[in-house]
C-alpha cells in the first residue's frame, strides 16, 4: 500500500487504486448519482444548470463525461470545449471533427511523439546525472 495525497482534498491516505481518497470517492459517487438523476429529469439542461442543481464543479463534471460515466446522448444542450479547437464536444476530450482529424494524423503524430519522448528522456537523463 502506498501513501499518497488525495488529488481532490489533499488529505494523506493509503492509495488503493484511485488518485483520490475513499472519502472523496464516496463523495464523488454521491455527486455522480445526483448528476445522472438531474440529467434524466432535465433533458434540456445546460452545463451551468447541472452545476447549480447538483453542486458538482465544472472540472468534475467534465471528468465524468470524459470517463464515460455520464452519457449526454439525451441532453442536447450539454457540452464543453474541445481541448484542441475550443469547439463544443459532448464526449471525450475532443469534438467529432478533431477526433476524425486526429485519427487521420495519428500515425504521423505517434512517430512524432516517440521522437519527443525520446528527446525528453535524454534531457531528463542529463538533468538527473548532474
Ligand atoms: Zn480526498
Ligand atoms: Zn475540436
Amino acid at each position: 500500500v502506498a501513501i499518497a495525497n488525495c488529488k481532490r482534498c489533499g488529505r494523506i491516505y493509503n492509495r488503493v487504486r484511485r488518485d483520490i481518497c475513499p472519502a472523496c470517492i464516496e463523495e464523488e459517487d454521491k455527486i455522480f448519482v445526483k448528476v445522472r438523476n438531474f440529467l434524466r429529469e432535465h433533458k434540456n439542461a445546460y452545463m451551468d444548470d447541472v452545476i447549480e442543481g447538483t453542486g458538482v464543479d465544472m472540472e468534475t463534471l467534465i471528468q465524468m463525461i470524459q470517463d464515460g460515466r455520464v452519457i449526454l446522448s439525451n441532453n442536447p444542450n450539454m457540452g464543453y470545449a474541445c481541448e484542441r479547437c475550443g469547439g463544443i464536444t459532448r464526449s471525450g476530450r475532443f469534438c467529432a471533427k478533431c477526433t476524425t482529424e486526429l485519427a487521420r494524423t495519428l500515425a504521423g503524430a505517434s512517430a512524432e511523439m516517440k521522437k519527443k519522448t525520446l528527446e525528453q528522456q535524454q534531457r531528463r537523463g542529463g538533468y538527473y546525472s548532474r
Side-chain angles (χ1 to χ4, degrees), residues 8 18 20 24 27-29 31-32 35 47 50-51 54-70 80:
R8 193 162 170 274
R18 298 277 314 269
I20 58 176
C24 285
E27 191 64 30
E28 251 195 24
D29 282 345
I31 292 173
F32 165 64
V35 167
M47 297 291 272
V50 179
I51 289 164
T54 65
V56 69
D57 58 82
M58 180 67 92
E59 206 181 315
T60 306
L61 178 58
I62 291 175
Q63 193 67 54
M64 284 176 182
I65 301 165
Q66 288 181 343
D67 287 349
R69 297 176 78 195
V70 173
Y80 50 93

Side-chain angles (χ1 to χ4, degrees), residues 4-112:
N5 271 83
C6 170
K7 215 177 93 185
R8 193 162 170 274
C9 70
R11 247 193 312 244
I12 289 172
Y13 72 108
N14 288 330
R15 187 188 166 116
V16 186
R17 62 201 156 87
R18 298 277 314 269
D19 48 10
I20 58 176
C21 71
C24 285
I25 291 177
E26 205 174 299
E27 191 64 30
E28 251 195 24
D29 282 345
K30 266 187 230 158
I31 292 173
F32 165 64
V33 171
K34 265 197 197 171
V35 167
R36 204 182 45 187
N37 290 341
F38 188 91
L39 285 172
R40 201 180 295 151
E41 285 159 28
H42 306 82
K43 297 226 187 294
N44 293 315
Y46 288 85
M47 297 291 272
D48 288 345
D49 298 329
V50 179
I51 289 164
E52 219 169 280
T54 65
V56 69
D57 58 82
M58 180 67 92
E59 206 181 315
T60 306
L61 178 58
I62 291 175
Q63 193 67 54
M64 284 176 182
I65 301 165
Q66 288 181 343
D67 287 349
R69 297 176 78 195
V70 173
I71 309 281
L72 300 179
S73 49
N74 294 315
N75 304 91
N77 294 328
M78 291 287 289
Y80 50 93
C82 164
E83 284 185 16
R84 186 163 173 263
C85 73
I88 296 295
T89 181
R90 291 153 52 73
S91 69
R93 290 167 58 201
F94 308 110
C95 68
K97 198 185 93 205
C98 288
T99 304
T100 313
E101 279 175 25
L102 284 169
R104 204 181 303 147
T105 54
L106 199 63
S110 80
E112 182 71 17

